[in-house]
């Protein structure tokens, strides 16, 4: 049956033979034996071409997925005994980088020394599979619906912060609608894209404020440095500002309008049989969370 599928897909006995690494005669004989067993012709043969009969079309539609299932089942058995190894490529949003760094990835690397990690930190949204990545880490709200998503953090929140010197000079905004009257430091992922809208909630209703930033950048560290220097208010993940708030270099405002929300997720395509290297990472993340080793900012 697998030889028949190869011929049907290639529309050529010679091409199927080359693909399978057997002789053209062996291919022809295998297909003939299958047709004899079924009692019907599956292929139209001429000196110049090979086509499917109506019975052949119907048989191919049924047998091809079944063979794929058999291959997957066999591979699953092989993989279950295989040591995770090879290159594991992850695409991680910049605001999620701190969630994956440190002990989580270090302990994974120690447990699986034959897995090499290649981590791209990017805020560009793209099809990770089409670009050759095994998995990604993003906020849950921007992950495609056909992906499997595994939490890698606790609940998160965004906040508005500024240096004490700025608040003394310009005052505290009492409500998000006051923000357009303030100097703001904004973020956008790439040139040509509008600055990120600052998102809030009030009485269970979510809304966004389109501030007009005095400064816009894609670099969170620059945003923090300018905010600490008193250049204005800025907005981002609470985790990004934690150490500066602890030192008193930044103060949070508008906290009542910044509720917590589901955090970051490791996501990957919905496949029945994961590669051992990715399966190992998924299991590691789940165990890490069960042990309570997750970051949150609420």
């Amino acid at each position: 049956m697998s030889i028949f599928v190869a011929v049907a897909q290639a529309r050529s006995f010679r091409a199927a033979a080359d693909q399978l690494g057997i002789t053209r005669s062996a291919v022809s004989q295998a297909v003939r034996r299958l047709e004899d067993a079924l009692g019907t012709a599956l292929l139209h043969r001429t000196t110049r071409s090979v086509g499917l009969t109506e019975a052949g079309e119907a048989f191919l539609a049924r047998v091809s997925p079944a063979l794929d299932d058999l291959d997957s089942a066999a591979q699953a058995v092989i993989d279950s005994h295989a040591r995770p190894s090879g290159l594991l490529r992850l695409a991680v949003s910049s605001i999620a980088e701190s969630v994956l760094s440190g002990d989580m990835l270090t302990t994974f690397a120690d447990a699986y020394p034959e897995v090499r990690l290649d981590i791209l930190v990017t805020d560009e949204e793209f099809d990770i599979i089409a670009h050759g990545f095994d998995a990604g880490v993003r906020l849950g709200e921007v992950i495609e619906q056909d992906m499997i998503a595994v939490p890698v953090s606790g609940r998160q929140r965004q906040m508005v912060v500024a240096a004490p010197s700025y608040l003394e000079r310009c005052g505290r905004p009492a409500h998000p609608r006051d923000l357009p009257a303030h100097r703001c430091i904004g973020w956008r992922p790439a040139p040509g894209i509008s600055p990120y809208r600052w998102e809030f909630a009030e009485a269970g209703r979510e809304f966004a404020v389109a501030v007009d930033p005095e400064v816009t950048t894609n670099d969170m560290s620059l945003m923090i440095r300018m905010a600490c220097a008193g250049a204005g208010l800025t907005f981002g993940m609470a985790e990004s500002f934690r150490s500066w708030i602890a030192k008193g270099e930044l103060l949070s405002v508008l906290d009542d309008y910044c509720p917590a929300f589901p955090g970051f997720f490791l996501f990957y395509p919905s496949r029945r049989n994961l590669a051992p290297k990715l399966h190992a990472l998924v299991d590691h993340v789940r165990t890490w969370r069960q042990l309570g080793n997750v970051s949150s900012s609420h």
Side-chain angles (χ1 to χ4, degrees), residues 198-209:
W198 296 15
E199 299 173 339
F200 303 94
E202 183 177 20
R205 182 182 64 86
E206 297 181 353
F207 63 98
V209 176

Side-chain angles (χ1 to χ4, degrees), residues 95-118:
I95 55 175
E97 184 273 334
S98 62
V99 175
L100 278 188
S101 62
D103 291 343
M104 180 188 288
L105 289 182
T106 299
T107 52
F108 176 79
D110 289 343
Y112 302 99
E114 295 175 25
V115 176
R116 294 177 294 119
L117 291 170
D118 182 1

Side-chain angles (χ1 to χ4, degrees), residues 64-75:
S64 184
L67 288 175
D68 288 343
D69 285 344
L70 289 173
D71 288 342
S72 295
Q75 189 62 48

Side-chain angles (χ1 to χ4, degrees), residues 163 185 219-231 234 241 244 249-250:
I185 305 164
D219 184 6
M220 177 58 69
S221 62
L222 177 59
M223 293 167 63
I224 292 173
R225 290 197 302 272
M226 295 199 68
C228 288
T234 195
F241 304 129
W244 285 271
E249 295 182 37
L250 292 174

